[in-house]
Amino acid sequence: MGWRSKFFFLIVIYCAGFFSAVYYVAHGDENSPANDKAVRIVNAINYYSSKIYSRVSEKYSQIDKEELKSAYNKGVEAVNEMTAKYCKNQNDAQ
């Protein structure tokens, strides 16, 4: 395949992608049922995501940083102990 064929192929692919993007972004009829359904879905997603975000941000603002740090360190120590125990058992088996 020569460079002209490759170039033509790339131009076709580029144009197909560009026209697909234009088709996707183009607005449909304002009163279409599909548009109404999409608007309702987007509004519901935005409503619930903002509601969840406000709850999560409220919870995280009340967390004691030192308590979180100590809980994290306990978890890391437990994992390290389990790893050491598992590795010790593997070394004994060999």
Side-chain angles (χ1 to χ4, degrees):
M1 201 155 116
W3 71 271
R4 290 181 182 136
S5 300
K6 290 179 184 178
F7 182 73
F8 180 71
F9 179 73
L10 287 175
I11 293 295
V12 169
I13 295 298
Y14 176 79
C15 289
F18 180 77
F19 293 135
S20 297
V22 169
Y23 177 76
Y24 180 75
V25 173
H27 294 289
D29 184 19
E30 293 294 326
N31 299 324
S32 70
N35 194 23
D36 291 340
K37 184 177 180 183
V39 167
R40 282 184 282 149
I41 290 172
V42 169
N43 287 339
I45 290 171
N46 288 338
Y47 171 73
Y48 286 114
S49 64
S50 65
K51 196 173 183 181
I52 291 169
Y53 176 76
S54 65
R55 285 184 185 175
V56 169
S57 62
E58 181 182 318
K59 296 283 185 185
Y60 278 118
S61 66
Q62 297 172 359
I63 288 180
D64 181 22
K65 304 296 187 243
E66 292 301 318
E67 183 181 331
L68 180 64
K69 183 178 176 182
S70 65
Y72 176 78
N73 288 337
K74 284 181 187 176
V76 169
E77 289 173 8
V79 168
N80 288 339
E81 289 173 6
M82 289 174 54
T83 304
K85 182 180 178 182
Y86 178 74
C87 290
K88 181 181 174 188
N89 290 341
Q90 286 295 321
N91 292 334
D92 291 342
Q94 294 175 353

